[in-house]
Each structure stands twice: as C-alpha cells, then as structure tokens.
C-alpha cells in the first residue's frame, strides 16, 4: 500500500501533470451521480490510471462536490462496511465517491456494489484492459469506461520537468 500513499502525497503536492482525459472522467461521474454507478479508467500498466483517479478524487473533495473514500482492501468490505457506507451517504449532502484500484479483480466488491447501489453512490475505479467475460454480469449498475492510452512523450517531459529529472541518456 506504500505506492498508494505516495500517489496521494504526490497529488496533494501538485506532483502530477494535467491529463486530457480528466474532463471525460468528470463528465462520466456527473452522469452517474443521480442513479449511482461506476466509472472505470482503463489502461495498461504505467499509463497513470491510479494517479489520474486520485487527482480527480482530490479535486472533487477540495471543490466540495463529493465526499471521497478510498477502498484500500476491497475484499474486506463486508455487510457491516456497506451499512456504514450507506449510512454515511444518507447523512451526507454530497455524493459519496469510492476509489477502488484494479476494480475487476474484486468481483465480490463489484457484486456487493450492485446490490447496494443508490443515487449518489459513485465508484471511480481503475482497471487494466479486460475482456467482457472477466466482468461481472451487471444488471442495475451503470458503468462508464474511460480508456487511457500510453503516456505521450510530452507528458513524460512534463513529469521530468516537474521533478527536475536529469535528461541524460544514462538517467533514462
């Protein structure tokens, strides 16, 4: 979990770069707000899925548009945890945004989400590209996939500039 904590610290301290996909994810979150549902940011390893999701969650929390919680161990979310989440949702004047990395690997969490979905309960998850057969059979859950491509040379250069990385070939 150390990498997850480092990502939050990086986002909190402005050590990430702007991604063009932010507006698409924010629009998808707005689309599921009324009914509840899940936005899944998909991409290969190293494309910045987790950093992007945390940037969006951080900004939503800072703007006061969502109450944000991270589900660090989705396999440990039991009925009592879901009851607490739903109670929090009822008490909040804002939608609840749950952050889940590698969401399709946690089928029990996704199945429980489908049973507990409510207006204002939103999940922002990450996933590597998966086939349809690996996803749960959803009936009630609105799912919006957002695909990330590889990091562009420009984004890599922005990251290097941000952290003042040496551009010598040996440093690459």
């Amino acid at each position: 979990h150390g990498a997850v904590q480092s990502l939050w610290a990086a986002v909190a301290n402005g050590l990430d770069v702007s991604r063009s996909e932010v507006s698409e994810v924010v629009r998808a979150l707005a689309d599921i707000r009324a009914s509840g549902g899940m936005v899944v940011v998909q991409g290969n390893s190293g494309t910045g899925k987790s950093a992007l999701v945390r940037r969006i969650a951080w900004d939503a929390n800072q703007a006061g548009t969502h109450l944000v919680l991270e589900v660090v161990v989705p396999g440990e979310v039991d009925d009592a945890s879901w009851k607490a989440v739903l109670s929090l949702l009822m008490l909040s004047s804002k939608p609840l945004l749950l952050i889940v990395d590698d969401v399709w690997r946690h089928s029990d969490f996704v199945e429980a989400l489908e049973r507990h979905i409510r207006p204002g309960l939103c999940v922002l998850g990450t996933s590597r590209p998966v086939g349809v057969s690996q996803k749960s059979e959803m009936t009630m859950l609105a799912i919006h996939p957002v695909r990330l491509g590889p990091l562009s040379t420009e984004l890599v250069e922005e990251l290097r500039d941000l952290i003042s990385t040496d551009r010598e070939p040996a440093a690459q």
Side-chain angles (χ1 to χ4, degrees), residues 2 13 15 35 57 75 87 103 110-111 119 126 130 132 157-159 169 171:
N13 290 291
L15 295 175
S35 63
S87 293
V103 70
V110 176
E111 289 167 9
T126 67
V130 295
V132 174
E157 290 301 317
E158 284 183 54
L159 285 167

Side-chain angles (χ1 to χ4, degrees), residues 138-156:
M138 305 289 160
T139 56
M140 302 292 294
L141 194 56
I143 301 173
H144 294 263
V146 176
R147 180 83 168 106
L148 291 186
L151 289 175
S152 68
T153 303
E154 294 80 18
L155 278 175
V156 172

Side-chain angles (χ1 to χ4, degrees), residues 69-89 96 98 109 112-113 115-116 121:
L69 299 173
E70 181 171 21
V71 182
V72 178
V73 186
E76 293 181 8
V77 179
D78 58 11
D79 288 337
S81 299
W82 279 109
K83 185 176 179 181
V85 164
L86 295 177
S87 293
L88 185 58
L89 177 63
L96 183 59
L98 302 178
F109 174 84
L113 173 64
R115 288 191 309 273
H116 294 96
L121 179 58

